[in-house]
Amino acid sequence: MSNINRINKDLFRQRGKLVSIILGFHILAIVLMMLYKKVFKVTDPTSLTGGVLIAIITGIVLLVISVIYVFDSSKYRLIPISSNGLYFSNILSAFFAIIYLLVGEAIIYFGANAIFPNPYDQMMIRDFNVNQYWFQIKLVIAFILGIMLILVGSVVIRLLVSLIGDLLPIKKQTFATVILTLIVIWAVMVPFNVITANTLILLGVQEVTTSFSSIVRMLNMSLFILVAWNVVLTFLNLYLLNRWSEATR
């Protein structure tokens, strides 16, 4: 088995296991909540949306940590594989983990609502089951692209912190590293926000109203910007990762 295949298999297995644990805990939490309501005769309806959001946010945070860990871990960096190969293996496995997480949470949500129906979630499901299926698909795609942007953006920040930290006498100084990380986040977010805002203006965001067609147009703008930023930050990550690899040899 080649090095790249071994890394792919290892990362897919680890992240699949991570998401499975999150989904398992979510199912357990729902069962325990329903048992509690049954035992103590709690009749107030409880929405399941909050649990889904908590599970997804938890999954995203853990995946961000996992993605960054791969670049920090000597377990992966010492494997004879190109920086580009390691990066794409890392991001691709995280992408499929996100899909697994979202699909799993959707199944849990709809399944739990079928078994333990409540008026809040049933109303949300009815509102979502309208005829604008293409619009709904775009929303899901935008959500996935947004999560991917968080992942690749986190890698940008981590690599910048590492490269800048190597130039400064702050190695293994936790407080100084935290301050540097906050500065880097601020330095990255300023141009990100400025470029995004100006791009939206150029695309005509000021003409958007509350009509459905305008909302669709805004969603299309968002998709374009999300795709563009993911591509730009991916190339930036590849450049920074190669620079970092050269600096740490």
Side-chain angles (χ1 to χ4, degrees):
M1 183 183 295
S2 66
N3 292 324
I4 187 69
N5 288 336
R6 189 167 74 250
I7 290 177
N8 283 335
K9 183 178 179 180
D10 185 54
L11 291 177
F12 273 87
R13 184 180 66 252
Q14 285 185 18
R15 284 160 188 176
K17 183 178 179 180
L18 174 65
V19 173
S20 296
I21 291 173
I22 293 173
L23 297 176
F25 271 110
H26 190 189
I27 293 172
L28 179 62
I30 292 174
V31 172
L32 291 176
M33 180 183 68
M34 295 307 170
L35 286 175
Y36 172 84
K37 293 180 67 175
K38 187 175 183 62
V39 170
F40 293 96
K41 295 180 172 54
V42 179
T43 57
D44 294 336
T46 303
S47 175
L48 301 173
T49 308
V52 173
L53 291 176
I54 292 172
I56 291 176
I57 292 172
T58 301
I60 293 172
V61 171
L62 293 178
L63 283 173
V64 167
I65 295 172
S66 174
V67 166
I68 292 175
Y69 169 78
V70 169
F71 297 119
D72 290 337
S73 173
S74 58
K75 172 184 176 181
Y76 296 101
R77 291 178 59 199
L78 294 178
I79 296 176
I81 181 178
S82 68
S83 298
N84 292 358
L86 178 61
Y87 177 83
F88 283 112
S89 294
N90 196 6
I91 296 300
L92 187 63
S93 60
F95 171 76
F96 280 104
I98 290 169
I99 300 299
Y100 177 27
L101 175 64
L102 295 180
V103 172
E105 283 299 323
I107 293 173
I108 291 172
Y109 179 73
F110 288 108
N113 272 289
I115 300 172
F116 311 110
N118 68 84
Y120 303 124
D121 292 313
Q122 287 181 335
M123 181 178 64
M124 290 183 62
I125 292 172
R126 282 197 303 270
D127 291 341
F128 193 74
N129 286 335
V130 293
N131 294 324
Q132 291 91 6
Y133 295 110
W134 182 234
F135 176 75
Q136 295 170 4
I137 291 172
K138 286 183 178 181
L139 279 177
V140 174
I141 294 173
F143 187 65
I144 294 172
L145 287 173
I147 297 175
M148 292 304 300
L149 185 58
I150 293 173
L151 289 176
V152 296
S154 299
V155 175
V156 168
I157 292 169
R158 180 67 186 92
L159 293 175
L160 285 173
V161 169
S162 296
L163 285 168
I164 297 172
D166 290 340
L167 301 175
L168 302 174
I170 62 171
K171 292 183 178 180
K172 297 183 179 180
Q173 296 182 25
T174 304
F175 179 74
T177 302
V178 170
I179 297 300
L180 177 60
T181 301
L182 293 175
I183 293 173
V184 170
I185 291 174
W186 173 82
V188 169
M189 290 305 299
V190 169
F192 175 84
N193 290 332
V194 170
I195 294 172
T196 300
N198 287 324
T199 303
L200 285 171
I201 292 173
L202 289 174
L203 292 174
V205 69
Q206 294 172 323
E207 301 173 5
V208 173
T209 63
T210 56
S211 66
F212 182 73
S213 60
S214 290
I215 294 174
V216 172
R217 184 181 176 188
M218 183 64 189
L219 179 58
N220 291 335
M221 293 180 196
S222 301
L223 284 170
F224 171 78
I225 291 174
L226 286 169
V227 170
W229 272 122
N230 272 287
V231 172
V232 169
L233 293 186
T234 293
F235 279 106
L236 179 58
N237 275 330
L238 293 175
Y239 170 76
L240 293 174
L241 187 58
N242 281 287
R243 288 289 304 273
W244 188 41
S245 298
E246 293 174 0
T248 54
R249 283 176 183 172

